[in-house]
Amino acid sequence: SCQYALNMHKLPIFRIITHVHCISLNKSRAFHRRIFARELHQCVQYSTWNSNAIQKKSAVDLGSKKLEISTGKLARFADGCASVQLGDTTVMVTAVSKTKATSSQFMPLVVDFRQKAAAAGRIPTNYLRRELGSTDNEILTSRMIDRCIRPLFPAGYFYDTQVVCNLLAVDGVNDPDVLAVNGASVALALSDIPWNGPIGAVRVGMVDGEFVINPTRKEMTSSTLNLVVAGASQSQVVMLEASAENVLQQDFCHAIKLGVKHTQQIIQTINQLAKEHGVVKRTPQKLFAAPLEIVEYTRQLAAEKIYAVFTDFSHDKISRDEAVNKIRLETEEKVREKFPEADSYEVIESFNVISKDTFRNLVLNEYRRCDGRDLTSLRNISCEVDLFKPLHGSALFQRGQTQVLCTVTFDSLESSVKTDIITTLVSGLKDKNFMLHYEFPPYATNETGKLTGINRRELGHGALAEKALKPVVPKDFPFTIRVTAEVLESNGSSSMASACSGSMALMDAGVPISAPVAGVAIGLVTKSSAEKPGEIQDYRLLTDILGIEDYHGDMDFKMAGTSKGITALQADVKIPGLPLKIVMEAIQQATVAKKEILNIMNKTIAKPRPNRKENGPVVEKVHVPLSKRARFVGPGGYNLRKLQAETGVTISQLDEESFSVFAPAPNAMNEAREFIHEICKDDQEQQLEFGAVYTATITEIRDIGVMVKLYPNMTPVLLHNSQLDNRRIKHPSALGLEVGQQIQVKYFGRDPTDGRMRLSRKVLQSPATMTVKTLSDKSSISIAPNSSPSSDSPI
């Protein structure tokens, strides 16, 4: 420990000698040990702080934009920290990894992307006025960053590692998620944490047929492509995430190649920073791996038995897992007898290695899969629609042992999702009237568990299926649409099954989608070169993968789209990178499978139903002249609240003279019509002539004036004291006015602000000749279906 501290040049030599001398003389040995340990800990912290205090700045030119990277100024106690800026949007990313291994049998990596309202110059709108739990956008961005950096950690590195992305400033022009990916890459590359990076990430948009690198928010509003590409050195792909509006395959492939090209510039800049920084990676105490002698003994015991299970094509998911687990228990018992000193992880991992090798060799060498299919075949697919009559739309999609039930629900536009202020500022999206919610209950995999709130995995899968369907949903649809995808059985690719089932449910509900959508997952099994371990010597692509093929494979490549193009894509890579050649082949193989799935789906339902179901919701438009709005709304909105409470409809104002009435069912709309008729039946507008004199009947005496009617079914209006006589009066009784008395008044139109009728008796005190006008009836409030607002009909 003394030598370590001296080598780090942090603990003064005289303090070390003093503590060691006291310990050797047995003077307060325990006390001095504690002091020495504390100061040594402080030395290590100071070492980290000092090594991270070297300030460096660099910039990468990405077309017309400049990506600026800086380090050495902020958060220097972290193992690595970097700030990345594009325009006026800045993200700070820190990386910290413990030096003591965890008890987990996996890489315990946590990525947290945090949006701060202060970064946008705002205060949170919740009751505490501070950031609370993670938003959907934060979770989805964290998952994307995790998928970018996780494959590059060394195998067996089971040390708690946390990457925190802090949004420091946002300009509302540049999206911070790609900056966070690059910031994580810089922070890990400049730290001593073992990591085989760096990587680079860019967003690719397509505006008017032209590709744009890192487009602005305004450019994204007119872009038909939103593709995030994370690339490693040697032009390899680490992660893909995309949503698109039916982009053609050749355009999509070109966008990926262009994105990978620009990531290489970022990677070169980060490598140069690391070289100038003099980064030396730490040597972990232990990289967890199964000892070779235990692996070989396990191979002798279990390899043939596992091979027999994987080549028995009569097995389904449950029976195959049970057969393998039976072999596992028998093998592990014998291994523990042979190697009693081996810990639990080594025994379990040895069996996992043999099981994985056997499975992969079956695919690589024999071109066979554990369910008997060839490499490009789909599982058996069956489809049903209109399963439950009360639902607005429903569909059941079964692919092998993956089964998804999708339902469609319509509601008013007021039910749309309201985004948080940062998401609104960054994306420009305030309301979202199409949503897909993905549910994965434990019984889908024959397990038990708590049915709690949505987890990060469910949120990510639902977001992918939503991206797949959103481009085909009409933007001017008069309802908010919620698609619920419930996974009833799962054996691989449930998110793509949700896209297929959701597409059919939308058509069953009568939503005029532009084209049906189907999705499929492509897997990968690779063989590394013996001479160059990082280089792929051979590989096999698998169409429509099972859960076990995802678990033992190297990639989960999900792609969805129509028969014309691609609407969504997500590639999760488990190896440090994929050559572009494999990515292009995966897209081609997915395109072929997608068209085959669409042909099967079209046999059940090929296009949207011409009309929505009879029990579905109804929207109608009510036209209310400005002069009658107060009567329709009622005092303090009383009439509207009563209408909504009694009939269940939802009313929203479209403009000054138009209201939208949403009813969850036709019966509710009929009740709403009757209610509107009732409150408006005595409010028939008369054809009044400006400046004409009319006979009014007094209905009520008030301190400030009298309430009068010009005709029997009219709502009384106030004739103020100031308009009763030329003389100033304090009460109408001074003029001898009584209820039921008829007086002459002059009509001066309506107040332009509130529509109130303006009458005066005072102006008639002059001896000018007057003619009393005769009134005629005319309707004022009309209601018409929303689909044809021009054909308003009176009620």
Side-chain angles (χ1 to χ4, degrees), residues 501-714:
S501 184
S503 173
M504 293 191 298
L506 288 171
M507 290 190 286
D508 179 57
V511 179
I513 62 175
S514 57
V517 172
V520 68
I522 304 296
L524 174 70
V525 176
T526 62
K527 181 179 181 181
S528 299
S529 172
E531 300 176 355
K532 300 179 180 179
E535 185 176 319
I536 297 176
Q537 179 180 344
D538 197 8
Y539 64 91
R540 303 285 183 269
L541 288 169
L542 310 177
T543 297
D544 186 17
I545 57 175
L546 301 170
I548 191 172
E549 291 171 334
D550 181 13
Y551 179 73
H552 287 312
D554 297 320
M555 177 183 72
D556 185 8
F557 187 97
K558 309 181 188 78
M559 193 183 86
T562 67
S563 58
K564 177 184 176 182
I566 298 171
T567 58
L569 185 145
Q570 186 182 92
D572 297 337
V573 181
K574 302 177 185 178
I575 54 180
L578 289 179
L580 279 170
K581 175 187 175 184
I582 296 180
V583 176
M584 299 302 121
E585 288 183 16
I587 292 176
Q588 175 58 30
Q589 196 161 318
T591 301
V592 174
K594 177 190 63 177
K595 292 180 179 179
E596 187 176 345
I597 296 169
L598 283 171
N599 290 334
I600 299 173
M601 291 168 53
N602 288 340
K603 294 177 182 178
T604 302
I605 184 168
K607 59 182 180 180
R609 298 188 187 278
N611 299 307
R612 294 189 293 273
K613 295 185 178 180
E614 294 181 357
N615 62 342
V618 183
V619 171
E620 293 187 357
K621 182 179 177 182
V622 177
H623 177 73
V624 181
L626 189 62
S627 61
K628 297 302 178 184
R629 186 171 60 187
R631 172 63 179 171
F632 178 72
V633 174
Y638 172 79
N639 288 342
L640 295 188
R641 291 198 303 271
K642 184 178 180 182
L643 174 61
Q644 295 182 84
E646 291 186 0
T647 64
V649 302
T650 302
I651 299 180
S652 55
Q653 188 168 354
L654 303 177
D655 53 45
E656 286 188 347
E657 297 188 348
S658 298
F659 290 81
S660 174
V661 180
F662 169 86
N667 292 337
M669 181 59 73
N670 293 335
E671 294 178 11
R673 286 198 193 98
E674 294 176 1
F675 186 93
I676 296 174
H677 275 285
E678 185 67 25
I679 64 174
C680 300
K681 68 180 181 179
D682 62 340
D683 192 24
Q684 301 302 311
E685 177 73 38
Q686 302 298 318
Q687 187 67 37
L688 302 179
E689 182 180 342
F690 186 89
V693 178
Y694 298 94
T695 300
T697 303
I698 299 176
T699 62
E700 184 183 352
I701 303 293
R702 296 185 179 182
D703 291 342
I704 61 173
V706 296
M707 303 298 294
V708 298
K709 283 186 177 183
L710 300 186
Y711 42 90
N713 60 351
M714 171 184 167

